[in-house]
Each structure stands twice: as structure tokens, then as C-alpha cells.
């Protein structure tokens, strides 16, 4: 086996079913990177509410039409529509062994709806026992998150991402690969980060408390190399499933 193929071999047993997984974490903790690793290791899909919403609108489904009408009026899409879209997505065959939820459940109401929905439709173990959703929170010090966000610079051509504090380009403000001028996104500011953190904490705290009460939650230290964070997440998943979650 080559070192490259070994990197994509599941860290856990071949018969391990990750089941439904919610990755939590503040802006900048690396949820997207970790989701990609779990998808590769366990061959399970990442389910994003943003992707589901765009797909329903593009296909002109009844839910998509309802959502688009509200969005065109500048209104938020209510939980009922989002819940129904997620429920429809979870009937597709690629979720048989598990999936990674991205951006959902975002509120306590959504979490409670999802629990009720999964009680009859969730992934099952070989013996038929339902696998409930488990939540893994990637935790990184807020000051480090601020450095990650405000220091981020992106090449508009090749999309390579730099950080002026931890991964700067060889020449200030210039992409190493194509010489393009790097861009600083307008929402990668301290003020924007502060507002995003306030919103995240107010919405996520009740969700975390919900899964903690049910023994279906673990914290993972995200302030370490990517591969070690992945290993910690997979270890936490195995621990939760072995404990009966």
C-alpha cells in the first residue's frame, strides 16, 4: 500500500458505521477540511443545507418554490421548509452508512425535529438498532480563530489560501503559483468575526446542551495539525458509538 492510499484508509474498523454526524465549530475551525477527511475515510456524504436549498430551487420543487418566494422578499426560510428539505434528502440511498451534517441543525428546534425524524429513519446497525445523531465540536481558542480569519488571503485565480500570520506567501500580497494579487475578503475583518461569533454562540449553545444532556456530544481540540484533529474526531466517534450512542 502506498503512503498516499494509506492516508485515505479509514482509521477505524472496516465494519464501523459512523452514522449521522454533526460537526460543530466556530467560523474558521476547519469544519470543511475535516468533513472532507471523513467523507474520504468512510465514503459518506456531506449534507449541507445550503446545497439542499439551492438544489430544490434549481429543480423547481414545491419546497424550492416556497423557499425562493420568501428569499425574494428578503425573508428567512422557516424551519418547517428547511426541515422538510433535510428529511427528503435523508431518504436518498447514499446515507445508508452515515452522513455529515453541515449547517444543520442550527437551532434547538431543528435539533428536536431531527431527533424525532431519525427515530424512524436513521441509519441502523446490523442488529437493527437505530444510530442517533452524534455531535462533535471542534474547539479552537478564539484569539487563534481571529488570526485565522483576519489573516486569510485568497488568490482570485487558483483559489489558493494563505494566512499572513501562519502561512504567508513568499512575496507579500502575491500568489506563489500564478503571481496574482491576493484578495482579503470583506467579511474577514475583526468586526465581522465578532458578530459571527455572537450569532454562532447564541444559536449553538442550546444545540450543544441538547446533545450533552443525551450523552451524544464530544469536544475535540482543533488547535493541532489537521491529521491529528481528524484522528481525534474519529476516535470520539468510535467512543460515542461504543458507549451506545
Amino acid at each position: 500500500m502506498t503512503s498516499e492510499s494509506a492516508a485515505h484508509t479509514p482509521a477505524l474498523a472496516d465494519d464501523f458505521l459512523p452514522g449521522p454526524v454533526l460537526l460543530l465549530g466556530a467560523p474558521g475551525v476547519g469544519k470543511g477540511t475535516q468533513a472532507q477527511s471523513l467523507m474520504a475515510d468512510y465514503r459518506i456524504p456531506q449534507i449541507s443545507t445550503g446545497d439542499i436549498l439551492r438544489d430544490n430551487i434549481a429543480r423547481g420543487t414545491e419546497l424550492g418554490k416556497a423557499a425562493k418566494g420568501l428569499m425574494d422578499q428578503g425573508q428567512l426560510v422557516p424551519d418547517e421548509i428547511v426541515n422538510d428539505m433535510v428529511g427528503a434528502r435523508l431518504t436518498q440511498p447514499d446515507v445508508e452508512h452515515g452522513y455529515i451534517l453541515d449547517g444543520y441543525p442550527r437551532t434547538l428546534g431543528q435539533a428536536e425535529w431531527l431527533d424525532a425524524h431519525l427515530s424512524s429513519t436513521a441509519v441502523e446497525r446490523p442488529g437493527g438498532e437505530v444510530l442517533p445523531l452524534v455531535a462533535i465540536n471542534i474547539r479552537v481558542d478564539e484569539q487563534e480563530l481571529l488570526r485565522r480569519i483576519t489573516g486569510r488571503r485568497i488568490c482570485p485565480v487558483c483559489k489558493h489560501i494563505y494566512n499572513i500570520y501562519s502561512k504567508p506567501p513568499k512575496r507579500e500580497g502575491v500568489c506563489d503559483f500564478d503571481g496574482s494579487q491576493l484578495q482579503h475578503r470583506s467579511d474577514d475583518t475583526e468586526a465581522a468575526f465578532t458578530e459571527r461569533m455572537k450569532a454562532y454562540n447564541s444559536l449553538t449553545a442550546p444545540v450543544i446542551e441538547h446533545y450533552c444532556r443525551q450523552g451524544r456530544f464530544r469536544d475535540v481540540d482543533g488547535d493541532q495539525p489537521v491529521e491529528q484533529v481528524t484522528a481525534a474526531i474519529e476516535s470520539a466517534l468510535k467512543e460515542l458509538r461504543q458507549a451506545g450512542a
Side-chain angles (χ1 to χ4, degrees), residues 29-241:
V29 300
K31 293 191 297 296
T33 298
Q34 293 305 323
Q36 291 295 318
S37 294
L38 294 176
M39 290 168 66
D41 282 353
Y42 299 118
R43 298 178 178 86
I44 57 176
Q46 180 180 12
I47 297 178
S48 160
T49 47
D51 290 344
I52 294 173
L53 186 60
R54 286 186 289 271
D55 175 64
N56 275 268
I57 291 174
R59 291 190 292 114
T61 67
E62 290 303 314
L63 290 171
K65 291 175 182 176
K68 186 175 187 304
L70 292 168
M71 293 167 64
D72 288 345
Q73 297 173 40
Q75 299 181 40
L76 294 175
V77 180
D79 278 359
E80 301 80 57
I81 292 179
V82 176
N83 291 343
D84 286 346
M85 286 184 177
V86 171
R89 175 65 180 88
L90 296 183
T91 64
Q92 297 180 20
D94 63 340
V95 305
E96 179 183 2
H97 299 300
Y99 46 87
I100 304 156
L101 287 170
D102 176 12
Y104 182 95
R106 193 179 294 271
T107 65
L108 179 59
Q110 290 178 349
E112 291 173 340
W113 179 90
L114 186 62
D115 279 352
H117 178 77
L118 293 183
S119 65
S120 59
T121 61
V123 178
E124 293 187 351
R125 298 180 183 182
E129 185 181 357
V130 170
L131 284 177
L133 177 72
V134 294
I136 306 290
N137 183 51
I138 305 173
R139 178 175 35 80
V140 174
D141 178 77
E142 194 163 319
Q143 283 302 115
E144 172 59 23
L145 289 177
L146 180 61
R147 284 167 55 88
R148 292 186 186 184
I149 295 292
T150 59
R152 183 161 53 193
R153 300 293 185 271
I154 303 173
C155 175
V157 178
C158 70
K159 308 303 180 184
H160 197 82
I161 298 175
Y162 300 85
N163 190 287
I164 61 174
Y165 302 114
S166 59
K167 189 183 176 184
K170 295 175 182 176
R171 290 174 53 204
E172 184 177 352
V174 177
C175 179
D176 295 344
F177 299 94
D178 55 39
S180 299
Q181 289 294 314
L182 300 179
Q183 295 180 344
H184 185 204
R185 286 181 3 187
S186 59
D187 59 343
D188 283 350
T189 65
E190 184 170 353
F193 172 77
T194 300
E195 290 304 311
R196 290 167 70 188
M197 285 299 298
K198 286 180 182 177
Y200 173 78
N201 288 329
S202 65
L203 289 172
T204 306
V207 175
I208 288 177
E209 184 180 350
H210 173 76
Y211 292 114
C212 276
R213 284 198 307 267
Q214 300 178 47
R216 295 189 277 135
F217 174 84
R218 289 292 186 276
D219 260 325
V220 164
D221 180 10
D223 195 11
Q224 53 185 332
V226 171
E227 296 80 6
Q228 292 182 29
V229 177
T230 302
I233 290 172
E234 294 185 338
S235 177
L237 280 173
K238 184 177 183 182
E239 178 186 325
L240 283 164
R241 296 305 183 199

Side-chain angles (χ1 to χ4, degrees), residues 3-43:
S3 59
E4 182 178 353
S5 61
H8 293 287
T9 300
L12 308 178
D14 289 341
D15 60 354
F16 175 76
L17 297 181
V21 180
L22 168 61
L23 279 185
L24 293 167
V29 300
K31 293 191 297 296
T33 298
Q34 293 305 323
Q36 291 295 318
S37 294
L38 294 176
M39 290 168 66
D41 282 353
Y42 299 118
R43 298 178 178 86

